[in-house]
Amino acid sequence: AFSRRILGSIGLDGGSANVPALNAQSEITETILMDTEDLAFVANWHMNPDQTNKMWYNLQTMTQIAKGTSFVGLTNVNLIGSRGPLASVLEQLFQNVTMSILSEPSLQPNRSSPYAPQALTTLTVETLRPLEDIEPGAPPCRALAGAEDVVVVMRTGATEIKDKLPVHLNTTMRCYPDTLIFSDYAEVFEGEQVYDALASVDAHVKETNMDFAHYMRLQKVGREGLDEDELRDDTFDSGPIGKNDNPGWRLDKWKFLPMILRTLELRPQKKWYVFVEPDTYVVWSNMVKWLQTLNPSKASYYGSEVQIGEDIFAHGGSAFVLSNAAMRKCAEIYTSDPEEWHTRTAQHWAGDCILGTALTRASVPFTWAWPMFQGGNPVDMNWEEAKRERRLWCDPALSYHHFKAHEVDGLWAFEQQHILDLIAEREKSNRATSFFGGRDTILRHSDVFKAYIMPNISHERTDWTNLSPDLVEHSARTVKSVEARMEDCKAICQAKKTCLQELGKKLG
């Protein structure tokens, strides 16, 4: 429908009695495109015979004297009433045609059918707010529009909060319009209220289950009263079922369902709830746009799929998203029989699995959103990974996991520059992202690799490895110096096409 309006040709021919006449073989002359700066001269020809004769003469003269020189075009001298550049009006015309077609009665769904889709809540996605609406000193991410109905919920613990939360307070949480922080100890941390996720758990459970021994001690002595080794996460090794020897880690599984309940009490009217951990990084510029494409009235549950036995659920560390309707259904299931869910939690090791089980019981379907939600860190991900015909490389990036504080800071700075580039592009074009010719504003995993990871890969680095799966040791027990031995190793590596790095380390 759109192409039919703009295809064809417009030209001049001799007409009758060799009088030049406009020959339009296109419906474009019936559209608003004729009022643009680029095509207004055609309307002048059509409406003014004298102007037509003049243009006919100019065209004939130009073709005779050009002699290989590129023809630069005809200057349009009448721009009164112009609608502006052709590109802008062409985009608007396309939108109008599309909306007109979509409004046709024959294309509307049969609302009486039990399988009819729910009505769309919006047809547009706001990308950036006007710069004048952004508070002074705010980071570029505050220019992102559409996050007013979203709350980001962080789940942490007293043993890690001092090391892992400050970087978020200085970076990611400056972007979120609304944030809730849950831990196993209520406090005000660097000016932010931290809620006790376990406050509502039955006292009998706390007193009789050994998982709560750490919690009971924490409430007695406070976070500052914990021993140094209790505050170090690296003192506990991770096994097949996580860090089961870590008392803070064992306690964490109990937070999920009570946290859902408390979040609803604190933020009952939000449309979307994004749950994260301190070592999660959310690509906020993508998350905000993505959520605007979803229907918040449905009971929805999104994340990166994990399976334990027959239970399929969203991995907690990769971030997961729940709609308001899903939150309410989950809370209803939990409060209807908290004893059952406390028993289930005591017998399991993964709280995100217990949450997924409760959502399944509440008839909230899980939507597999890999590879947008990632359980890995960009520094050691398999960039060629693919599942169910979906390639990590091609998909938008919504989250990453296993981030250290400096990595959160680094990727956040990278994302802010990305947003600044979008703002600069908008200011340059004086409009939102162009439908035609506008560059893709979404950060895909491939963009993160090419623009963030690759530039940081240097020829030599200290205290770093590329995690090559197949290491071939080269004897270093010689009388040569370290420099000489590294040169030997380098020569061996360069001689093998499959060698990706040479690595030297101290022995003993």
Side-chain angles (χ1 to χ4, degrees), residues 14 38 72 74-75 88 92 94 178 189 211 250 271 358 360 378 463 473:
D38 309 68
V72 296
L74 298 171
T75 302
S88 299
Q92 185 61 53
F94 179 83
D178 196 5
F189 184 88
D211 288 343
R250 289 201 309 272
K271 293 179 179 178
T360 300
D463 193 24
E473 292 192 10

Side-chain angles (χ1 to χ4, degrees), residues 6 32 136 148 232 240 242 249 286 298 330 373 503-504:
I6 63 174
I32 60 174
E148 297 75 18
R232 290 185 57 195
W249 189 90
N286 280 352
K298 295 176 59 178
C330 184
F373 290 88
L503 173 68

Side-chain angles (χ1 to χ4, degrees), residues 146-407:
E148 297 75 18
D149 294 315
V150 183
V151 58
V152 177
V153 184
M154 177 169 284
R155 189 188 79 261
T156 184
T159 61
E160 66 177 9
I161 193 171
K162 187 176 180 180
D163 295 328
K164 298 183 178 181
L165 185 59
V167 68
H168 286 284
L169 297 179
N170 294 323
T171 56
T172 62
M173 289 186 175
R174 295 175 61 198
C175 298
Y176 311 148
D178 196 5
T179 308
L180 291 174
I181 305 172
F182 286 97
S183 178
D184 40 28
Y185 180 69
E187 60 177 313
V188 177
F189 184 88
E190 296 190 8
E192 296 294 328
Q193 179 62 56
V194 178
Y195 297 93
D196 180 0
L198 303 169
S200 64
V201 176
D202 185 82
H204 178 71
V205 175
K206 297 175 182 176
E207 293 167 359
T208 58
N209 192 294
M210 287 303 297
D211 288 343
F212 282 90
H214 170 73
Y215 176 82
M216 302 301 283
R217 167 172 157 74
L218 182 60
Q219 308 313 305
K220 183 178 180 180
V221 304
R223 181 169 56 83
E224 298 298 333
L226 296 178
D227 297 334
E228 186 66 26
D229 60 345
E230 294 178 278
L231 295 172
R232 290 185 57 195
D233 186 61
D234 57 2
T235 58
F236 301 94
D237 295 327
S238 181
I241 57 172
K243 298 184 178 182
N244 207 39
D245 293 333
N246 184 334
W249 189 90
R250 289 201 309 272
L251 189 61
D252 186 70
K253 66 181 181 180
W254 292 89
K255 299 171 187 171
F256 283 81
L257 289 174
M259 178 177 64
I260 297 293
L261 200 62
R262 183 66 171 137
T263 296
L264 266 181
E265 293 174 355
L266 294 169
R267 300 291 189 273
Q269 301 303 324
K270 292 294 181 179
K271 293 179 179 178
W272 296 106
Y273 301 80
V274 181
F275 291 86
V276 300
E277 296 179 1
D279 61 348
T280 306
Y281 185 88
V282 172
V283 184
W284 190 241
S285 55
N286 280 352
M287 181 67 76
V288 170
K289 293 180 224 176
W290 179 66
L291 290 176
Q292 291 181 76
T293 68
L294 306 178
N295 187 344
S297 65
K298 295 176 59 178
S300 302
Y301 174 34
Y302 297 94
S304 181
E305 177 184 293
V306 177
Q307 183 168 356
I308 298 178
E310 296 182 355
D311 298 319
I312 298 175
F313 57 96
H315 179 229
S318 304
F320 60 92
V321 173
L322 291 172
S323 66
N324 186 287
M327 292 280 289
R328 294 186 180 280
K329 287 189 172 187
C330 184
E332 183 178 347
I333 284 292
Y334 173 52
T335 56
S336 66
D337 193 353
E339 185 176 348
E340 176 195 352
W341 294 103
H342 292 159
T343 301
R344 282 176 172 269
T345 304
Q347 296 172 348
H348 211 287
W349 59 271
D352 43 8
C353 181
I354 296 298
L355 173 62
T357 304
L359 287 163
T360 300
R361 177 83 66 85
S363 299
V364 177
F366 171 67
T367 301
W368 185 66
W370 186 95
M372 294 189 296
F373 290 88
Q374 268 301 308
N377 185 311
V379 302
D380 59 7
M381 282 168 42
N382 177 8
W383 296 95
E384 296 182 339
E385 189 173 5
K387 299 178 182 178
R388 304 181 192 174
E389 299 182 355
R390 295 182 63 177
R391 293 183 60 205
L392 181 149
W393 185 259
C394 304
D395 267 39
L398 291 182
S399 71
Y400 295 107
H401 190 213
H402 296 306
F403 266 54
K404 296 178 181 178
H406 73 275
E407 292 173 323

